[in-house]
């Protein structure tokens, strides 16, 4: 892509415009005009690297499992006289109540970072996460995902079955999340965000047109490709 095309745009707008170009090129014209991006990943037949960018992986889980250490007589001594058994029992009960409430709160699932800054390699079959800690990259094939969602333009939510057989919920935070969605959605041809076009921000095309940097109609191209897939 000609670097001059990006002048005057924010990094977020650059990424969205390039996402539109890649999606339209792949689903409408084929891959002939897409650059070959160097990678050390082992690629399958007909698999192409689309882009490499920065990301962070988050998990949806509790900080604890709801368990806590119950207070005993010695814990109550710190807030009462050792000889005052009634007050000691009251103190222990209060400590246990506070610990139980904290344990319950910590057991409630919430989003929390699973990695620091990482590198994501996005292909037409999967995305691969390199945590840059010396371990091999972790691959997430689109066919293995049981659900997907896109929140805003940065947060790609997904669920899949882990090695233990339990469901896993993760979120990839990256400016390239809409691109991941556009290829993962091939497995979900009736996804609401696909049908209503909201996987891209409304007004994006008009904004880029006003900046003198029009983008290809990726929203419509993807909808048409999925309509053909649904038959």
């Amino acid at each position: 892509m000609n670097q001059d095309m990006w002048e005057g745009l924010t990094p977020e707008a650059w990424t969205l415009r390039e996402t539109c170009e890649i999606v339209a090129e792949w689903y409408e014209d084929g891959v002939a005009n897409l650059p070959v991006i160097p990678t050390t990943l082992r690629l399958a037949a007909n698999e192409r690297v689309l882009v490499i960018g920065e990301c962070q992986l988050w998990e949806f889980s509790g900080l604890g499992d709801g368990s806590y250490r119950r207070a005993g007589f010695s814990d109550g001594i710190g807030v009462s006289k050792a000889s005052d058994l009634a007050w000691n029992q009251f103190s222990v009960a209060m400590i246990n109540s506070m610990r139980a409430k904290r344990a319950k709160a910590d057991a409630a699932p919430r989003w929390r970072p699973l990695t620091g800054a990482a590198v994501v390699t996005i292909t037409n079959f999967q995305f691969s996460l390199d945590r840059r800690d010396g371990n091999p990259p972790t691959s997430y094939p689109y066919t293995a995902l049981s659900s997907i969602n896109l929140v805003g333009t940065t947060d790609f939510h997904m669920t899949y079955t882990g090695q233990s057989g339990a469901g896993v919920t993760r979120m990839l935070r990256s400016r390239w999340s809409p691109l991941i969605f556009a290829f993962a959605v091939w497995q979900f041809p009736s996804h609401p965000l696909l049908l209503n076009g909201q996987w891209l921000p409304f007004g994006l095309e008009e904004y880029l047109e006003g900046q003198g940097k029009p983008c290809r109609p990726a929203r419509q191209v993807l909808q048409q490709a999925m309509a053909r897939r649904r038959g």
Side-chain angles (χ1 to χ4, degrees), residues 174-197:
S174 171
R175 294 207 314 266
W176 292 105
S177 289
L179 182 64
I180 294 175
F181 178 87
F183 283 85
V185 80
W186 186 256
Q187 307 300 323
F188 306 87
S190 296
H191 196 287
L193 291 182
L194 168 70
L195 298 180
N196 63 23

Side-chain angles (χ1 to χ4, degrees), residues 155-176:
D155 295 351
F156 177 79
H157 293 195
M158 58 182 174
T159 60
Y160 57 91
T161 301
Q163 294 181 348
S164 66
V168 179
T169 303
R170 295 283 187 268
M171 174 176 67
L172 188 81
R173 178 161 288 172
S174 171
R175 294 207 314 266
W176 292 105

Side-chain angles (χ1 to χ4, degrees), residues 196-220:
N196 63 23
Q198 291 186 19
W199 66 277
L200 286 174
F202 279 141
L204 174 66
E205 294 88 346
E206 292 79 4
Y207 167 76
L208 292 173
E209 182 76 31
Q211 296 295 313
K213 300 174 177 62
C215 66
R216 296 186 62 179
R219 203 188 312 262
Q220 292 79 8

